[in-house]
Amino acid sequence: MVCVALLGAALMMLPAIVVDHDLGRRPITSSDRLSAINSVRATLLQLTAGIVLFFGAYATWRQLRVSQDTLRITQEGHITGQFSRAIDHLGNDKQDVRIGGLHALRRLAEHSERDREAVISTMAAFLRAHQPWPPTAPPADADINTVAPLETRAPDSQLALTCLGVLGRFDRSDPWLNLSLTDLRRADFDGLWLTRMNFDRACLESASLFAANLTRASLVSVNLRHASLRRANLTEARGVLADLRGALVVESVLTGADFTRADLREANLRKARAQATVFRDADLRDADLRGADLSDADLSGARLDGALASDRTRWPAAFDHAAAGIVTKADPGPEPSPLLQPPALLDQAPRLRSGGTP
């Protein structure tokens, strides 16, 4: 109130002082003097209104900033609470509670970029803890046809794997994710994004990796026996000493991958794109290479006895496939749609015809 009174007094008295100062002792009529005072008063009123408007806008902006900061702090506290509760759920003895915690973490990672790395590393740790290799049950030497699919025997672990494969589409500050020494037998990787993931010495026997993205993944000494890698992308993957006996690698991209000393006996690589792929000292006996593109591939020391090829198979320059013991047969033509594959392929792994017992 005091400020308003002082402002009113200034508006009443200051214009007359300003006019008298500007006029000095020059004579002026009363009406002209009153008009001049009113003009000065109007100008002062406009200036005062502008100042009041400016400070009002500044106060509103400051209040908005405070509100935004308060909302952000509240949201961060809410997210922290969600994360803590989800982590608590992962340690619960009940499987359905753990599944709920994994769903909560996935939603959190999709909406909070700041917490995404923590969620991804937590899910990877969950898989390593719950699916260690070698396992306790079912035993590591169990016949793969007696092992239930991962989504049946451990649905929470399958969900964690699926979440990792979905969140893998996002950029990570640490591109490598550790899933080594995990038991992922008969797991479902179909369509998942698994770039730069470390599966070293893990067991993925009879797993389904249809159209999975394994670009630059580390597959050193991994067990992929009878796994389905059809149309998978293994560009620049590192599969040194990998076991791919009987694996289905039809129409897959293997460009620049390294399969040095890998075991690919009876593997099906029909129409695989394996340009500049390294098969140094690899075992490709009885493998199906019909229609595969092996141009610029490194086949030095590779064993190819009984491997099948067709007139559509492309070889490295100066490579004598006949001298390598490769059998030439007719090309099988276009591959059937994966939707027409018999269900038995998902239920049982075929037996190897020669050697290579687990």
Side-chain angles (χ1 to χ4, degrees), residues 64-77:
L64 180 61
R65 287 294 302 272
V66 171
S67 299
Q68 289 175 338
D69 290 342
T70 303
L71 178 60
R72 178 178 55 80
I73 294 172
T74 302
Q75 287 177 334
E76 288 182 355

Side-chain angles (χ1 to χ4, degrees), residues 168 172 174-179 193-199 213-218 235-237:
R172 303 191 301 265
D174 182 3
W176 285 104
L177 193 64
N178 184 16
L179 291 176
W193 203 270
L194 308 166
T195 59
R196 289 185 179 271
M197 289 196 182
N198 179 2
F199 292 101
N213 188 345
L214 289 153
T215 301
R216 296 186 179 179
S218 185
T235 302
E236 298 183 10

Side-chain angles (χ1 to χ4, degrees), residues 97-119:
V97 176
R98 296 197 297 270
I99 289 175
L102 289 166
H103 279 297
L105 283 175
R106 175 180 169 178
R107 284 182 57 84
L108 179 62
E110 289 177 340
H111 291 89
S112 175
E113 182 178 354
R114 183 176 179 179
D115 298 284
R116 190 173 298 143
E117 291 283 345
V119 170

Side-chain angles (χ1 to χ4, degrees), residues 328-351:
T328 302
K329 286 194 173 183
D331 193 85
E335 296 296 323
S337 168
L339 297 178
L340 300 179
Q341 296 294 335
L345 290 181
L346 302 178
D347 297 332
Q348 289 197 345
R351 299 292 183 181

Side-chain angles (χ1 to χ4, degrees), residues 261-266 279 281-285 287 302-304:
R261 298 174 61 190
D263 192 342
L264 290 136
R265 281 174 288 173
E266 298 185 24
F279 293 103
D281 298 322
D283 194 341
L284 288 152
R285 287 177 292 173
R303 301 184 64 180
L304 292 152

